[in-house]
Amino acid sequence: MDDLKYGVRDKRGDWKPNGRIEGAPLWNWPPRLPKILAWLPGYLWPWNAFHMATALLYWFYIVPSVETMKMISWGWALWLYAVNAAAILVFYGIFELRYYIKRAQATRFKYNHKFPGDAPSDVFWFQSQNIDNFLRSFFITIPLWTVVEVIFLWCFANGYVPWVGWSDHPVYLAALVLVAPAIHEVHFFFIHRLIHWGPLYRWIHSVHHNSINPSPWSSLSMHPVEGFLYHAVALWHLVIPSNPIVALFQLHIAGFGAVNGHLGFDKLEVTEDTAVESHAYAHYLHHKYFEVNYGGDGLIPLDRLFGTWHDGTREGDAMMDARFQKKRERVNAKAAANQ
């Protein structure tokens, strides 16, 4: 595909899409039903449909029996970790192999023209972003994903929280499934803002931000505190009356869905004429500029509300620069007052 039909490339070779990042039309006033209906298929397919499919596969083929889960043991906990690790190895590995190792579409639709494997750096273990990100994912974050999973399955199995049945409340649970991505975005926004606070950023979140030019293995490369907080979104289903399948769906939006913002490509070419939208640009801009787009891609407009939204346009650059300038002025004024 010709990526220049969809965007522009600068002198360095970095690519950016035409137009702007559009948030969900749910918040437009007055409401425009045709626009909402046109947006809805992309909300459901392919990514959220995939996360629900994996949740169902887990529930029917992977998750142990309720009787087994009433008692926490290493056996079923390690089984879940093994499946989580294998699933991420395959799922993320497909993107890594095709787009970063084989480089099947070269730099077409790639935001940053460089590949992480070509740039050794001392900030990473073994001076390799790929090795560092891989090891942190599989030996820190995925184990913590599994801890969260074991906690909520154990709670449901023992009746410590309400287990809402599909046969009794199908409409309620279907609605909960539909809003689960919004729960993810709200949870992610607030923990993300928290760990961008100076001391917490240096101690915790800087580990993830070492990957300025993210790739699939960067998705779950986190400090242990961030890794737990990020996946703890599923624990909201111990507070909200819910069902373990919906909790699994919520967990998979976080675990499998983390790759979306770190693919590094705007479109993933499937054939010469077709491509899948990655929805990666909003989070790529966060990795690039650090203090914008703390949430997702605008499903819930929290970044707009707090003035940290960047829509990928020159106007977005201007708003960001103005905010940074005000921040510098405040810092300088405080320093001058303390002299």
Side-chain angles (χ1 to χ4, degrees), residues 2 4 16 35 68 103 113 147 158 161 177 230 232 247-248:
D2 183 0
L4 296 182
K16 64 177 293 185
K35 195 167 185 179
T68 299
R103 304 186 184 183
H113 73 284
V147 168
N158 284 284
V161 295
V177 167
Y230 176 71
L248 280 169

Side-chain angles (χ1 to χ4, degrees), residues 232-311:
V233 63
L235 300 182
W236 282 107
H237 293 269
L238 302 182
V239 179
I240 306 167
S242 189
N243 179 283
I245 294 176
V246 184
L248 280 169
F249 174 57
Q250 189 77 71
L251 186 65
H252 288 194
I253 292 171
F256 290 100
V259 77
N260 289 81
H262 302 86
L263 286 169
F265 289 84
D266 197 67
K267 297 180 188 294
L268 303 174
E269 296 176 357
V270 180
T271 68
E272 291 184 1
D273 302 314
T274 60
V276 175
E277 297 283 347
S278 71
H279 298 284
Y281 194 41
H283 195 66
Y284 169 77
L285 291 174
H286 177 76
H287 274 264
K288 184 177 181 179
Y289 296 124
F290 294 94
E291 296 185 29
V292 299
N293 298 356
Y294 291 97
D297 54 4
L299 175 60
I300 303 297
L302 290 169
D303 278 296
R304 294 182 189 274
L305 179 64
F306 288 94
T308 54
W309 178 245
H310 194 312
D311 62 3

Side-chain angles (χ1 to χ4, degrees), residues 125-193:
W125 291 342
F126 308 104
Q127 295 187 317
S128 169
Q129 178 175 322
N130 290 338
I131 294 174
D132 176 285
N133 290 175
F134 183 91
L135 293 176
R136 289 183 185 276
S137 297
F138 283 84
F139 295 103
I140 296 175
T141 308
I142 296 176
L144 291 168
W145 161 353
T146 309
V147 168
V148 170
E149 190 174 27
V150 167
I151 290 171
F152 74 70
L153 289 172
W154 175 73
C155 289
F156 275 112
N158 284 284
Y160 296 146
V161 295
W163 183 324
V164 181
W166 286 93
S167 59
D168 297 325
H169 300 282
V171 176
Y172 169 75
L173 289 176
L176 191 55
V177 167
L178 286 175
V179 301
I183 294 171
H184 171 82
E185 193 154 317
V186 172
H187 177 88
F188 180 56
F189 178 88
F190 284 107
I191 66 164
H192 201 178
R193 284 302 300 264

Side-chain angles (χ1 to χ4, degrees), residues 10-33:
D10 63 21
K11 294 180 180 178
R12 291 180 299 181
D14 295 345
W15 184 91
K16 64 177 293 185
N18 294 326
R20 65 179 69 241
I21 304 170
E22 297 285 352
L26 302 170
W27 312 104
N28 295 343
W29 189 262
R32 297 181 179 179
L33 185 59

Side-chain angles (χ1 to χ4, degrees), residues 290-334:
F290 294 94
E291 296 185 29
V292 299
N293 298 356
Y294 291 97
D297 54 4
L299 175 60
I300 303 297
L302 290 169
D303 278 296
R304 294 182 189 274
L305 179 64
F306 288 94
T308 54
W309 178 245
H310 194 312
D311 62 3
T313 64
R314 290 183 179 179
E315 291 82 0
D317 286 339
M319 292 175 63
M320 176 184 68
D321 291 341
R323 184 162 54 87
F324 289 172
Q325 179 61 32
K326 289 181 179 179
K327 182 177 179 180
R328 285 191 293 268
E329 290 172 357
R330 289 196 300 269
V331 171
N332 292 337
K334 184 177 181 180

Side-chain angles (χ1 to χ4, degrees), residues 221-232:
S221 177
M222 301 174 181
H223 185 280
V225 171
E226 180 177 4
F228 180 79
L229 290 176
Y230 176 71
H231 288 97

